[in-house]
Every structure is written in structure tokens, then in C-alpha cells.
Amino acid sequence: MSPVDVIRAHYDASDRGDLPGMLAPLGPATTWTEAAGFPYAGTYTGPDEVQRHVFEAIGRDWDGYRFTLADLLDAGDTVVGVGTYTGTHRGTGKSFTARVAHVWRFAAGAVASFEQIVDSAPVVAATREHS
């Protein structure tokens, strides 16, 4: 599969709620960076860390958390997914919508890195009782 096909399969798995399918393209050395200012900010390595620090945390903290893909841009060994996050925070009951871009980089035919670029302000505001 081409890089864009690999990432399309990741997003298709996300739409199905298929976590193993979402993690499938990540290897043990793949780095996954959540943006500074985002509730799960940091860089995690490999599918186990990504599952624990990102997807399990999102599942714990949010209802209906979703990424809706608007554009998938094929630049060869770099693939960019552009879309929107939505969700409702379990602790506050507040919902949000935030624009986001995901930058996927491939090396030797495998996912080398993922970087999230996001408008974190609406996400953080939804986590606060008083904003």
C-alpha cells in the first residue's frame, strides 16, 4: 500500500471505532506527537504508548470524541489529514469543535512519525468548569 492508502486505512478504522486498526500502521519506533497546549501533549513512541497516553485518555475523558476528515493530502512520503475534532468532556459536559491537521511522515515504507497541529483553545476550554 502507498503511504496515502495506509493513512486512509487508519482514518477508516477511526470511523469504525477500531483501535487495533488505527494502531496497525505504527511500528515500535514510530513517534506520535500531540501538540503543545493540547490536553495530551507530548511525544510517545510505538503503538503501546500511543494507545495508553492518547487513545485511552481520550476514551476516559470524552464522550463522542471524533475526528472528521475533510482532506487527505498526498505528498509522497508525507501525508496530511485535515479535519475537525469534536467531543463532549465527561467532567464538565462542555462540547467543542476544533480544526486540526495531522502530518504523517514515512521512511522506508513505514510510518516514521505523526504530528498533530491543532487549535487547542476550544479543547482546553471544554475541560474547564469556568471559562
Side-chain angles (χ1 to χ4, degrees), residues 34 37-40 54 57-59 61-68 83-102 116-128 131:
E34 296 283 298
F38 196 69
Y40 314 106
V54 179
I58 288 169
D61 297 340
W62 300 91
D63 284 322
Y65 192 96
R66 179 174 175 86
F67 171 71
T68 302
T84 305
Y85 288 148
T86 54
T88 302
H89 192 263
R90 289 193 174 152
T92 66
K94 293 181 181 179
S95 297
F96 78 94
T97 299
R99 291 291 287 163
V100 62
H102 297 155
Q116 174 201 58
I117 301 165
V118 63
D119 179 4
S120 295
V123 183
V124 171
T127 68
R128 295 191 176 141
S131 44

Side-chain angles (χ1 to χ4, degrees), residues 67-86:
F67 171 71
T68 302
L69 182 67
D71 293 297
L72 190 59
L73 310 172
D74 181 355
D77 283 342
T78 301
V79 177
V80 180
V82 179
T84 305
Y85 288 148
T86 54

Side-chain angles (χ1 to χ4, degrees), residues 1-105:
M1 290 187 353
S2 71
V4 73
D5 291 334
V6 169
I7 301 312
R8 184 175 289 114
H10 164 87
Y11 290 130
D12 288 346
S14 176
D15 288 345
R16 293 189 308 271
D18 173 8
L19 183 57
M22 292 173 65
L23 294 171
L26 307 184
T30 302
T31 59
W32 181 288
T33 301
E34 296 283 298
F38 196 69
Y40 314 106
T43 298
Y44 310 104
T45 304
D48 292 341
E49 284 192 9
V50 172
Q51 179 175 337
R52 185 170 58 253
H53 295 290
V54 179
F55 294 115
E56 288 178 5
I58 288 169
R60 175 191 68 230
D61 297 340
W62 300 91
D63 284 322
Y65 192 96
R66 179 174 175 86
F67 171 71
T68 302
L69 182 67
D71 293 297
L72 190 59
L73 310 172
D74 181 355
D77 283 342
T78 301
V79 177
V80 180
V82 179
T84 305
Y85 288 148
T86 54
T88 302
H89 192 263
R90 289 193 174 152
T92 66
K94 293 181 181 179
S95 297
F96 78 94
T97 299
R99 291 291 287 163
V100 62
H102 297 155
V103 180
W104 300 85
R105 298 188 193 283

